[in-house]
Amino acid sequence: MPSIITHAAVPLALWCAADRGRIPPWLLAAGVVAAMLPDADVLAFVLHIPYADALGHRGASHSLLFAGVLAMLAALVAFFGRHRPWSAVSCQPRLAPTTARPTVASTVQAAVFVFICAASHPLLDAMTSGGLGVALAWPWSEHRFFAPWRPIRVSPFAPQFFSARGVATLLSELRWVWLPLATAVVAWKLIQPAPAVPREPS
């Protein structure tokens, strides 16, 4: 796996690329949690569940079904929660009352954001240089998938993380995850049209 910190890169990049205020803090936090949560399955080692088991590391929690479940939870929070819809216009005065209600569009957008963040975790894991593959198709298949191209060094577990191997992993993640995402965000911002400036009446 990439380190747990690097899994947050995808939601942070999406947040940076989005229009200001489009992704509110609660949704960004949900995306970061969704991107990191699959690695909670490292508890399988404590419980003596075999690595290759469906409930082992990189198993069920690294499936697209798991990402879909997290996306549905995000949709429920967006629709029934008290938070302001994340797709609402953010330029209203701070103290102005708002009667904005969650819409189908804002609910779907929240679900898609969380799904992408959660699904990015196994996809990044599939690009690592070691370990077992990821069970993307669980429960329909327990086959472990790897990407054809695997440039990211696999991260050591906690006891070995603060070592030369851990530093090499962080440098690999900087090269293959953080820098490409930062470049993509900057490029996206540069190609966006500038906001129209209202003309003063003559």
Side-chain angles (χ1 to χ4, degrees):
M1 63 180 180
S3 63
I4 194 69
I5 299 171
T6 291
H7 281 299
V10 171
L12 290 173
L14 292 174
W15 176 74
C16 290
D19 294 336
R20 185 177 180 182
R22 187 167 179 82
I23 301 177
W26 79 266
L27 188 58
L28 173 61
V32 170
V33 170
M36 295 179 171
L37 190 59
D39 273 346
D41 65 5
V42 294
L43 291 174
F45 294 117
V46 178
L47 299 174
H48 304 291
I49 298 174
Y51 193 167
D53 191 87
L55 298 180
H57 184 47
R58 292 189 173 186
S61 68
H62 286 60
S63 66
L64 295 180
L65 176 64
F66 185 79
V69 170
L70 295 183
M72 287 190 291
L73 291 176
L76 291 174
V77 171
F79 193 80
F80 294 107
R82 295 180 180 179
H83 302 284
R84 185 180 180 186
W86 72 296
S87 60
V89 177
S90 60
C91 59
Q92 297 179 0
R94 182 174 296 179
L95 299 179
T98 178
T99 57
R101 293 298 223 180
T103 64
V104 172
S106 66
T107 302
V108 170
Q109 287 172 336
V112 169
F113 176 76
V114 169
F115 179 83
I116 292 173
C117 294
S120 71
H121 184 117
L123 295 180
L124 285 176
D125 277 4
M127 295 175 66
T128 57
S129 60
L132 294 181
V134 292
L136 281 175
W138 183 88
W140 299 278
S141 171
E142 293 188 15
H143 178 74
R144 300 294 186 98
F145 293 90
F146 266 124
W149 185 52
R150 299 161 58 188
I152 306 172
R153 286 183 64 108
V154 67
S155 175
F157 292 107
Q160 297 179 324
F161 188 75
F162 297 100
S163 64
R165 183 182 168 193
V167 172
T169 297
L170 291 176
L171 292 175
S172 173
E173 293 171 359
L174 179 65
R175 178 183 181 185
W176 296 110
V177 181
W178 290 97
L179 287 180
L181 285 175
T183 302
V185 169
V186 171
W188 175 255
K189 289 294 187 180
L190 289 176
I191 64 175
Q192 294 304 296
V197 178
R199 299 177 60 183
E200 295 183 2
S202 55

